[in-house]
Amino acid sequence: MVRLSMQAVVARRYGPPEEHAIEEVPAPEPGPGQLQVRIAAVSLNPADVRLPAGDFRDAVDLPFPHIPGNDFAGTVTALGAGVTRFAPGDEIFGFATPRALRHMGSSSLSTGALAEYAVFEADTPFLAHRPDAVGIAQAAALPTVGLTARALLATAGIAPGERVLVVGATGGVGTAVLPLLAAAGAHVVATARPGEADLVRSLGAAGTAGYDEYPSGVDAALNLVLPGDRLGPVAAAVRPGGRLLTITFPPPPAFDGIDVRLVLDMEGRYGGMAEVAADAAAGRLRARIDREYAFPDAITALADFARRHKTGKLVVRVRSRA
């Protein structure tokens, strides 16, 4: 039996994206409870560049060679023993972390999606059928963005009329969460660079602020970009009794008089990919795509993600030869 080969982005050692390469490697095969997917598109996330860069090597012993890529859309091509939830030919999308992060408790693990083929665990809430109304690039851009935006809204408990500061509003999560906050009736103040005010206002922000130029007395602040140990100025913008929610590491310190929470939903408590799919198909949830790349330019995409300012998600189109 001839084993299928594929092209993949491969990191052979810790280093920046420019040191990775697109290589011909054996395609992974599904074991019991797993499925193989022909990848159509991938969107990039911080872990795709920070893990192979060695930023977390004290906590994660990353095995090499390593294929990055968490968020994807693609077609099921093969099933391992015991899988009944999906069938070959199904169009699916979702989120999965590298197997090296198994100890973090995620049920969704993969061999890495920046490749022509990847293998995923089938029994997880973080994979779902792609709705016909949701295109391939949009589906690839949605998983982390959609899951995080839904978890933030569920945790924040925004009431109509509340003033909400969003720090990192022009990123992937920010551009998805602004319309949700506006739909909840919040008065949103979004951080934006010069020239980005029209963008955030079009997404639902009522006003803008520069970084470290935050308004005072907001009811809630959502931090989507600053490290958890640099949240002092954001906390100072929150009124006594208000809330500060953050999605970044390290975990935030306590601040007197306000409720501080790290929003990290690794179990799908606030809904999984099926709920993201339903919201996307109904038009309630959408990811903003900053730029798309062809697969031969995947290394450039990773370098751009690491070094270039973005207003939304970067998506890599993967064109399989099979």
Side-chain angles (χ1 to χ4, degrees):
M1 177 175 167
V2 178
R3 188 173 181 184
L4 184 69
S5 66
M6 68 175 186
Q7 288 194 324
V9 173
V10 179
R12 292 285 176 182
R13 64 189 66 83
Y14 284 121
E18 292 86 351
E19 294 183 4
H20 308 342
I22 296 177
E23 299 182 11
E24 192 86 11
V25 297
E29 298 177 351
Q34 298 176 337
L35 66 160
Q36 182 194 67
V37 175
R38 185 171 68 243
I39 303 298
V42 177
S43 71
L44 304 184
N45 293 297
D48 298 328
V49 294
R50 298 193 66 188
L51 272 175
D55 290 0
F56 305 114
R57 70 172 72 186
D58 290 341
V60 179
D61 185 16
L62 190 67
F64 294 100
H66 170 74
I67 298 173
N70 296 339
D71 288 6
F72 77 97
T75 306
V76 177
T77 46
L79 304 177
V83 177
T84 59
R85 183 179 168 208
F86 300 103
D90 285 356
E91 295 292 321
I92 69 170
F93 75 118
F95 160 87
T97 58
R99 291 173 176 175
L101 301 183
R102 188 187 306 270
H103 67 283
M104 292 184 64
S106 174
S107 64
S108 193
L109 303 167
S110 89
T111 55
L114 269 173
E116 292 183 297
Y117 293 87
V119 163
F120 301 87
E121 303 296 325
D123 186 17
T124 167
F126 299 122
L127 301 183
H129 291 91
R130 176 172 65 84
D132 291 340
V134 181
I136 289 172
Q138 181 65 202
L142 268 172
T144 293
V145 159
L147 292 168
T148 306
R150 285 178 51 87
L152 282 167
L153 264 291
T155 306
I158 302 299
E162 285 196 307
R163 297 178 68 228
V164 180
L165 170 66
V166 179
V167 180
T170 59
V173 174
T175 51
V177 82
L178 288 180
L180 300 182
L181 291 169
H187 178 97
V188 181
V189 178
T191 57
R193 292 187 177 191
E196 295 175 341
D198 288 346
L199 169 63
V200 296
R201 289 183 186 276
S202 73
L203 295 170
T208 62
Y211 287 90
D212 295 327
E213 298 175 356
Y214 307 130
S216 61
V218 300
D219 298 291
L222 277 56
N223 171 59
L224 312 178
V225 63
L226 297 176
D229 53 3
R230 290 176 47 198
L231 295 180
V234 181
V238 180
R239 65 165 174 82
R243 296 95 75 200
L244 169 57
L245 285 72
T246 182
I247 64 173
T248 63
F249 284 93
F255 292 99
D256 291 340
I258 64 172
D259 182 10
V260 183
R261 301 187 193 182
L262 173 65
V263 178
L264 180 65
D265 184 10
M266 297 297 290
E267 296 84 32
R269 295 189 307 273
Y270 302 112
M273 208 54 54
E275 288 75 18
V276 171
D279 283 349
R284 292 186 295 268
L285 185 61
R286 184 169 180 80
R288 185 179 193 277
I289 297 175
D290 180 286
R291 186 175 177 184
E292 295 186 31
Y293 300 76
F295 190 61
D297 298 320
I299 304 300
T300 299
L302 288 164
D304 284 351
F305 185 90
R307 314 191 198 295
R308 187 170 74 84
H309 179 67
K310 302 161 289 296
T311 55
K313 298 288 289 184
L314 302 186
V315 172
V316 178
R317 292 271 190 172
V318 181
R319 298 187 178 183
S320 174
R321 295 162 294 174

